[in-house]
Amino acid sequence: DIRSGRPYLMNLNEDFSLQGTLTYVIPDDGSALSFGTDESNNKLLEGLGVLEKMCTVAEAGGKITLRVVGMDELSPACQEDNPDGPRVLVNDEQVPPSTSRRLENND
């Protein structure tokens, strides 16, 4: 619940009626949110361009970090179908596979 004061991720959309329909509170127990189509993720996403594993988001020491999964974390079939790996954007900039990025307020 975003009223808890915990950091969270929320979707933005050009269609105002769809904005804010997906909200994910960052856990405070050190565990990560993991996103993708595979059931091993704790946040399942489906849609065009969504791979079996996309990224994780976690908090440590008051800092929020996004980590895009590496090619070695994808199945051989997924690697073959998606040779560039997961496409994850922060503020319209792609975060390359196997890369971590600190998230700030309003990213």
Side-chain angles (χ1 to χ4, degrees):
D1 186 333
I2 63 173
R3 294 172 292 196
S4 69
R6 298 280 317 137
Y8 60 91
L9 303 174
M10 180 182 289
N11 73 305
L12 300 177
N13 197 297
E14 291 176 2
D15 182 342
F16 186 73
S17 66
L18 297 175
Q19 187 163 315
T21 56
L22 301 174
T23 303
Y24 304 103
V25 176
I26 311 293
D28 61 357
D29 62 2
S31 64
L33 297 177
S34 59
F35 297 88
T37 61
D38 190 84
E39 296 208 8
S40 65
N41 296 291
N42 54 27
K43 300 299 175 191
L44 297 178
L45 299 176
E46 292 185 19
L48 185 62
V50 181
L51 306 186
E52 60 193 22
K53 296 180 182 178
M54 297 292 292
C55 65
T56 61
V57 178
E59 179 184 18
K63 297 180 172 103
I64 308 298
T65 303
L66 172 135
R67 187 184 71 79
V68 179
V69 301
M71 292 298 285
D72 60 326
E73 298 173 74
L74 301 174
S75 69
C78 188
Q79 291 177 30
E80 185 175 323
D81 291 343
N82 304 280
D84 295 329
R87 185 169 184 262
V88 177
L89 305 176
V90 176
N91 298 328
D92 291 326
E93 292 182 21
Q94 185 168 1
V95 181
S98 300
T99 302
S100 294
R101 182 180 195 272
R102 183 173 169 192
L103 298 178
E104 301 288 341
N105 194 32
N106 294 319
D107 274 349

